[in-house]
């Protein structure tokens, strides 16, 4: 029998009575866990024939976030990853007819706008949607191409400010677009300048302003979210992901936000979740190999793992290998130790954030002997912190804690739950790591569905009661490995380079990061040592 799942919390009384009439006694055992209706987003934007941006990216993003997408097309383009070869506009009359067809029948919870090339189009959209009452607007002011070329004229920019910004729930300009909207001749640089720009844009009427910092220089990207009514500022930080496959990221982010708002999610949560989705999509798309220019994202990376064979092979032994469709940087893998962290006078969250800011690329929560409730609380605190920086959080041993906290994966030893059972419980899209000492155990880990192996202890260590296998043992596993190998045991900035030369893609450390008063500086020292060894 197939269970019927719906939510009573979002149903009007009339809707609930109608459902009860249709389903009868079946509702008595219905857990209220899912939306009672489909969240609906109307996308008003141009078409990208290559599928990377425009309404094609918008539809994929809405589907990935669980919303139903409708479209009103403002223009048709002939384009690919190398550029735009042709544009054919749509008349305002037909654009208005598309909007009317959708809103008079299916209706919408959120309207998301993309490229609106002329003032006439802007006014047409505002007028057509406005006839159908209060609908949340997500306005993505697409005005500047990745190359820096301005895509719309000054009249269209002025029309957006006059007709769309005052009714917008949120606007999502990138840095060049924010500068253009504010008539700035110089670039907006740094978080303080972004906050100041967001405050000025808020005066134009939108309830929220999100300025995207993906165009900033440096290893970290910062986005600024400003709420007009309260003046509150939220800075969302994440590590920059180097990739040529970023075509359509702005469309994807705005439509993801729209899809989540359509589900009733608070704005800060919607923006944060949408950002994490785009970061993960970029990481999962680095090796797509589609086209010869700026490639698209794999919006369905959770269920479809696409990568060209040459990219899979070339990335296998790199610091950021592609495996099961995920780009994971295992180079600096930090394992927590509550005793060490407490001895330094730090909280767990403070120590982990400092380590991540210093360059740690994977965090493992390891808490032996603690009550499940205590460990679950710690995991739930670290999951959003790590995702803010685009760093996976792995749980040591405890599959139940990983599932309950929605952590990124689990690491198990040879005496823990078998890897095959862990994979079955976690499903295909979480990370599973296994500790191994021999090529034979490595091969078994691959058969059982592991994503990576931790090999060691390379050197004797006080944190793990195990016999050291030395560099020779590590090298033997690396030579036979078809999975990324992370060296473990007794490693620090002074000796970690030897493990890289032996074939490991990264090092797992405990005391080298967390038994110091400054985990950030300790992590930076490891990053520098590993870079010198590669």
């Amino acid at each position: 029998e197939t269970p019927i799942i719906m939510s009573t919390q979002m149903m009007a009384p009339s809707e609930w009575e109608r459902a009860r009439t249709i389903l009868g006694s079946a509702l008595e055992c219905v857990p209220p866990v899912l939306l009672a209706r489909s969240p609906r987003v109307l996308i008003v934007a141009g078409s990208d024939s290559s599928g990377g941006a425009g309404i094609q990216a918008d539809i994929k993003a809405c589907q990935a976030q669980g919303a139903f997408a409708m479209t009103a097309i403002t223009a048709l383009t002939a384009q690919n990853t190398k550029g735009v070869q042709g544009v054919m506009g749509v008349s305002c009359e037909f654009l208005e007819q598309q909007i009317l067809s959708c809103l008079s029948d299916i209706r919408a919870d959120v309207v998301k706008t993309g490229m609106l090339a002329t003032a006439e189009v802007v006014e047409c959209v505002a007028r057509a949607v406005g006839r159908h009452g209060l609908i949340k607007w997500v306005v993505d002011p697409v005005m500047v191409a990745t190359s820096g070329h301005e895509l719309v004229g000054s009249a269209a920019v002025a029309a957006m400010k006059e007709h769309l910004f005052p009714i917008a729930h949120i606007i999502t300009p990138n840095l060049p677009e924010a500068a253009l909207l504010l008539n700035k001749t110089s670039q907006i640089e740094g978080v303080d300048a972004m906050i100041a720009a967001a405050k000025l844009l808020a005066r134009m009427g939108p309830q929220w302003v999100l300025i995207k910092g993906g165009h900033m220089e440096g290893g970290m990207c910062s986005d600024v979210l400003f709420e007009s009514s309260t003046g509150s500022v939220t800075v969302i930080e994440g590590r920059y992901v180097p990739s040529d496959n970023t075509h359509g990221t702005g469309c994807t982010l705005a439509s993801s936000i729209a899809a989540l708002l359509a589900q009733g999610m608070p704005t800060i949560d919607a923006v944060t979740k949408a950002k994490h989705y785009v970061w993960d999509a970029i990481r999962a798309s680095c090796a797509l190999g589609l086209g010869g220019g700026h490639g698209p994202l794999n919006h369905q990376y959770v269920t479809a793992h696409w990568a060209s064979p040459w990219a899979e092979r070339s990335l296998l032994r790199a610091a950021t290998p592609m495996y099961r469709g995920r780009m994971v940087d295992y180079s600096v893998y930090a394992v927590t130790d509550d005793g060490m962290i407490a001895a330094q006078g730090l909280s767990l969250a403070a120590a982990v954030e400092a380590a991540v800011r210093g360059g740690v690329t994977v965090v493992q929560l390891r808490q032996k002997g603690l009550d499940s409730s205590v460990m679950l609380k710690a995991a739930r605190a670290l999951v959003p912190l790590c995702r803010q920086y685009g760093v996976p959080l792995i749980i040591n041993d405890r599959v139940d804690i990983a599932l309950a906290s929605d952590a990124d994966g689990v690491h198990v030893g040879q005496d823990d739950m078998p890897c095959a059972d862990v994979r079955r419980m976690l499903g295909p899209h979480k990370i599973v790591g296994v500790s191994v000492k021999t090529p034979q155990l490595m091969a078994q880990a691959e058969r059982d569905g592991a994503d990576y192996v931790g090999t060691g202890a390379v050197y004797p260590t006080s944190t793990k009661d195990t016999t050291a296998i030395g560099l020779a043992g590590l090298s033997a596993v690396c030579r036979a490995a078809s999975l990324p190998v992370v060296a473990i045991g007794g490693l620090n900035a002074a000796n970690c380079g030897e493990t890289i030369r032996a074939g490991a893609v990264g090092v797992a450390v405990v005391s080298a990061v967390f038994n110091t008063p400054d985990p950030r500086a300790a992590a930076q020292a490891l990053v520098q040592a590993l870079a010198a060894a590669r």
Side-chain angles (χ1 to χ4, degrees), residues 140-457:
D140 184 17
V142 180
M143 296 183 290
V144 181
T146 303
S147 62
H149 178 69
E150 292 186 12
L151 301 173
V152 300
S154 57
V157 174
M160 286 185 204
K161 294 179 184 180
E162 180 181 354
H163 298 287
L164 296 186
F165 285 16
I167 58 176
H169 181 77
I170 184 170
I171 63 174
T172 62
N174 58 32
L175 291 175
E177 289 161 349
L180 183 61
L181 287 166
L182 295 172
N183 299 315
K184 288 183 175 291
T185 57
S186 59
Q187 294 183 349
I188 298 172
E189 297 181 350
V191 172
D192 290 342
M194 292 171 67
I195 293 172
K199 291 179 178 179
L200 292 175
L201 290 172
R203 296 177 184 176
M204 299 178 187
Q207 298 177 40
W208 296 80
V209 176
L210 174 67
I211 297 185
K212 300 171 292 189
H215 290 69
M216 294 177 67
E217 299 292 332
M220 298 293 290
C221 294
S222 298
D223 293 356
V224 167
L225 180 62
F226 180 78
E227 184 178 14
S228 302
S229 61
T230 64
S232 67
V233 175
T234 303
V235 179
I236 306 171
E237 291 187 310
R239 182 173 283 112
Y240 173 71
V241 181
S243 174
D244 290 330
N245 297 326
T246 56
H247 184 49
T249 50
C251 305
T252 298
L253 176 63
S255 286
S256 296
I257 293 170
L260 296 168
L261 290 174
Q263 298 172 40
M265 187 174 290
T267 303
I268 292 179
D269 295 340
V271 171
T272 302
K273 184 174 181 180
K275 285 295 299 182
H276 293 156
Y277 165 70
V278 173
W279 285 331
D280 284 343
I282 294 173
R283 284 199 297 271
S285 304
C286 287
L288 276 188
L290 292 175
H294 289 284
L297 299 177
N298 175 8
H299 292 81
Q300 272 62 50
Y301 66 89
V302 172
T303 55
H305 309 318
W306 302 333
S308 60
W310 66 265
E312 289 274 2
R313 291 193 296 271
S314 65
L315 288 167
L316 180 60
R317 293 182 180 275
T320 54
M322 170 69 72
Y323 193 73
R324 297 183 191 276
R326 297 184 61 124
M327 289 292 295
V328 182
D329 184 350
Y330 294 106
S331 57
V332 186
Y333 187 128
V335 182
T336 66
D337 185 293
D338 287 355
M340 291 181 183
I341 291 171
Q344 301 300 326
L346 300 172
S347 68
L348 177 63
V352 167
E353 182 167 19
V356 169
R357 291 184 69 86
V360 161
T361 58
V362 179
V363 174
Q364 182 187 129
L365 177 63
R366 187 171 185 265
Q367 293 182 315
K368 294 289 188 180
L370 291 184
D371 292 341
S372 295
S373 59
V374 176
M375 190 173 184
L376 179 57
K377 183 178 180 181
R380 283 178 169 164
L382 292 184
V383 164
L385 189 155
C386 288
R387 287 188 180 154
Q388 176 182 342
Y389 294 96
V391 170
L393 176 69
I394 308 298
I395 306 299
N396 180 258
D397 296 353
R398 298 290 300 274
V399 178
D400 56 337
I401 298 296
L403 289 170
S405 64
D406 191 29
D408 294 288
V410 171
H411 185 93
V412 291
Q414 292 298 317
D415 296 328
D416 299 321
M417 180 182 291
C419 174
D421 292 326
V422 174
R423 173 56 71 196
R424 279 193 291 271
M425 294 177 70
L426 290 183
H429 310 304
K430 297 287 188 181
I431 301 170
V432 177
V434 183
S435 296
V436 305
K437 285 178 174 289
T438 67
Q440 293 77 20
L441 290 175
M442 186 283 300
Q444 184 63 50
E446 181 180 17
R447 289 193 294 270
D448 289 344
D451 293 295
Y452 72 95
V453 295
T455 300

Side-chain angles (χ1 to χ4, degrees), residues 94-111:
F94 186 63
L95 175 57
E96 190 166 351
Q97 188 176 8
Q98 294 177 75
I99 295 171
L100 174 63
S101 294
C102 294
L103 296 185
S104 64
D105 178 25
I106 299 175
R107 297 181 292 178
D109 302 293
V110 176
V111 171

Side-chain angles (χ1 to χ4, degrees), residues 15-97:
E15 293 175 313
W16 174 245
E17 290 305 320
R18 182 170 179 270
R20 184 182 294 278
T21 300
I22 296 171
L23 298 174
S25 61
L27 286 177
E28 299 304 322
C29 59
V30 171
V33 294
L34 293 182
L35 296 173
R37 57 167 176 74
S38 300
R40 303 154 299 181
V41 177
L42 173 60
I43 301 154
V44 185
S47 170
D48 175 358
S49 59
S50 68
I55 62 163
Q56 285 82 353
D58 296 323
I59 293 170
K60 295 171 191 175
C62 285
Q63 287 182 320
Q65 299 300 334
F68 179 77
M70 301 164 283
T71 61
I73 300 175
T74 61
L76 303 173
T77 70
Q79 64 175 291
N80 52 33
T81 64
K82 297 180 179 180
V84 178
Q85 291 78 45
V87 179
M88 178 181 293
V90 171
S91 69
C92 287
E93 292 76 15
F94 186 63
L95 175 57
E96 190 166 351
Q97 188 176 8

